[in-house]
Amino acid sequence: METTYKVPYTTVLAISPHTNADKLELATVYGFQVIVQKGRYKPGDKIVYIPIDSILPPKIENVLFPADSKIKLSKSRVRQIRIRGLASQGMVVDPSEVASILNLDRLAVETDLQLILEVKKYEPPETFIGKTGTPKSRDPKKANPHFHKYNGVENIKWFPNLFEEGERAVIQEKLHGTNCRAGLLPFNANSLWKKIKRFFGLAPKYEKCYGSNNVDISSKGNHGGYYGEDVYGKTLNAINVFDKLKPGETVYGEIIGPGIQKNYEYGLKELRFVLFDVKILKHDGSQEWLNPDDVKKFAKERGFEMAPVIYKGPFNLAFIKVLSTGNSVYCPAQKNREGVVIKSQYAYNNQGNKKALKLINEAYLDDKTNTDYH
């Protein structure tokens, strides 16, 4: 499952004053704050919400940003902007503005319009390509079926009511790097060579799996391409990751350091793997996540560096918004932490489900090279 991206036909939840502009107001859509013209909208009004990191097609951009518009998009991308000191995240569009393109009267509220309006999610350029070029695509059939993707963490602004006030929560710093995973999982005879090894009794019971979030690199061996070499395997080998894992365990973390993300080196001279989650394969074939307390114990016992826990206690959204701001906790000299990940302390079950959301730092998004979809 990918993290939520949609262009919904929805409603304005609330309107509040702009603290530094008499002719502007703040509209709340889901949990997002969007600056609008004063008096134009009221709570309950039906609107189209276009989130940040959207790419508009010419037919939409030309209507919303005509030649005389004071605001212009760069490369058709909707970004967070600041108007009189406050952040505006996305666009609130009156249905009348797109009436020449689409009649919304017959559509149900909460219809996703991204395909109809041909609005697309911005995809950051590949920053992990070395001089050798793009790695060859991998056949998903070659990947170990137990080696699950992490699939990202949803933005709390799409789900502002998922956590209840006072609910026990654990808040971790969200580090800005590249997602990495490693697991010691049941041998998967998904190639001719592996089938031969199994036939002759040479196959191990468990095999070493590792890769990025999207690619099981171990399914085809050392491929080159990323950073000019296999940065994932190199970083994991430096910490002897497979010596630290027991059969059935998969660790998820972030590789951070020089050359990974622009302006986010965290004061490091070398690449680091920083753990943030652990998944365990059970005897019945299901997998479950460790809860935050057990992840902390796991990291300490196995010798993994862990993403900093900033707070543990009752959930309070206003307080957590404050926690998402400021410099990095991992490296205080690193300006503008990416944000935080909010995890329920207890809501983990034997179906492998967990309750976790992210909150991105507005100051991080002020950098136009950054995106909300990490």
Side-chain angles (χ1 to χ4, degrees):
M1 166 180 92
E2 297 294 332
T3 53
T4 294
Y5 173 81
K6 57 184 177 179
V7 181
Y9 178 45
T10 187
T11 57
V12 174
L13 295 181
I15 295 290
S16 56
H18 190 300
T19 56
N20 195 33
D22 294 336
K23 297 182 179 181
L24 299 174
E25 291 180 313
L26 306 178
T28 300
V29 184
Y30 298 95
F32 296 94
Q33 171 182 285
V34 185
I35 296 177
V36 296
Q37 181 182 351
K38 187 174 182 179
R40 182 163 187 180
Y41 300 99
K42 62 182 183 300
D45 281 353
K46 296 177 181 179
I47 53 94
V48 176
Y49 175 63
I50 302 178
I52 62 173
D53 289 329
S54 294
I55 302 295
L56 303 186
K59 67 178 183 179
I60 302 295
E61 185 175 1
N62 293 338
V63 168
L64 299 181
F65 299 94
D68 60 349
S69 175
K70 294 182 180 180
I71 298 176
K72 297 291 184 181
L73 299 182
S74 174
K75 298 181 180 180
S76 303
R77 178 183 167 193
V78 177
R79 292 181 169 94
Q80 173 182 285
I81 60 173
R82 288 192 179 270
I83 303 177
R84 300 297 295 271
L86 297 185
S88 183
Q89 296 189 322
M91 298 178 61
V92 167
V93 178
D94 190 300
S96 64
E97 295 182 82
V98 292
S100 61
I101 300 170
L102 176 65
N103 184 352
L104 296 172
D105 292 340
R106 297 181 180 179
L107 294 181
V109 172
E110 299 309 324
T111 297
D112 185 358
L113 303 175
Q114 63 174 305
L115 295 180
I116 299 173
L117 296 178
E118 299 177 20
V119 177
K120 297 180 179 179
K121 183 178 79 169
Y122 168 75
E123 297 291 350
E126 180 59 81
T127 58
F128 311 133
I129 302 302
K131 294 180 180 179
T132 57
T134 306
K136 295 179 180 179
S137 61
R138 272 160 174 67
D139 183 353
K141 295 178 182 178
K142 299 294 184 181
N144 189 302
H146 299 289
F147 193 38
H148 296 170
K149 295 181 180 181
Y150 191 69
N151 288 327
V153 179
E154 295 281 9
N155 194 321
I156 195 172
K157 293 187 178 182
W158 286 114
F159 305 94
N161 300 315
L162 183 63
F163 281 85
E164 297 181 2
E165 291 290 317
E167 180 178 348
R168 296 291 299 182
V170 175
I171 313 301
Q172 285 181 282
E173 179 177 2
K174 189 176 189 305
L175 297 173
H176 189 29
T178 181
N179 191 280
C180 179
R181 56 191 167 129
L184 193 58
L185 299 167
F187 182 81
N188 184 35
N190 55 7
S191 69
L192 178 60
W193 174 241
K194 285 186 171 184
K195 290 176 181 177
I196 292 172
K197 289 181 70 175
R198 185 174 65 180
F199 179 79
F200 286 102
L202 300 175
K205 188 174 181 180
Y206 293 90
E207 63 180 345
K208 300 172 182 178
C209 302
Y210 76 93
S212 67
N213 184 53
N214 292 315
V215 180
D216 179 356
I217 299 173
S218 54
S219 66
K220 285 194 176 181
N222 195 335
H223 70 288
Y226 288 90
Y227 307 96
E229 61 181 337
D230 179 1
V231 69
Y232 300 90
K234 184 177 180 180
T235 305
L236 292 170
N237 283 336
I239 61 170
N240 300 312
V241 68
F242 294 110
D243 293 338
K244 298 178 179 181
L245 297 181
K246 295 179 181 179
E249 296 176 342
T250 302
V251 291
Y252 297 86
E254 201 81 357
I255 292 179
I256 58 173
I260 299 295
Q261 296 290 356
K262 184 179 179 182
N263 298 325
Y264 278 82
E265 297 189 349
Y266 294 97
L268 298 174
K269 300 295 185 181
E270 71 290 318
L271 299 182
R272 297 273 187 88
F273 174 82
V274 184
L275 178 76
F276 53 69
D277 259 320
V278 180
K279 208 171 194 181
I280 307 295
L281 178 64
K282 301 176 68 179
H283 293 298
D284 63 3
S286 65
Q287 295 195 37
E288 66 177 358
W289 297 99
L290 295 186
N291 65 47
D293 288 343
D294 287 338
V295 172
K296 183 178 179 180
K297 293 177 184 177
F298 180 97
K300 185 176 180 180
E301 291 173 357
R302 307 296 181 84
F304 283 101
E305 189 173 15
M306 183 177 167
V309 172
I310 303 174
Y311 168 78
K312 182 178 176 180
F315 175 85
N316 176 270
L317 183 56
F319 177 55
I320 291 170
K321 286 181 178 179
V322 175
L323 293 180
S324 72
T325 64
N327 290 359
S328 168
V329 174
Y330 180 90
C331 173
Q334 177 66 60
K335 294 183 178 180
N336 297 331
R337 70 187 64 163
E338 182 182 353
V340 295
V341 175
I342 307 143
K343 298 178 180 179
S344 171
Q345 189 172 346
Y346 305 119
Y348 288 65
N349 62 33
N350 58 11
Q351 276 72 50
N353 297 324
K354 64 176 180 172
K355 190 173 179 181
L357 296 171
K358 67 183 178 183
L359 180 58
I360 302 299
N361 183 6
E362 288 181 359
Y364 163 86
L365 291 172
D366 283 335
D367 184 336
K368 302 307 180 186
T369 63
N370 292 332
T371 171
D372 196 22
Y373 285 94
H374 282 295

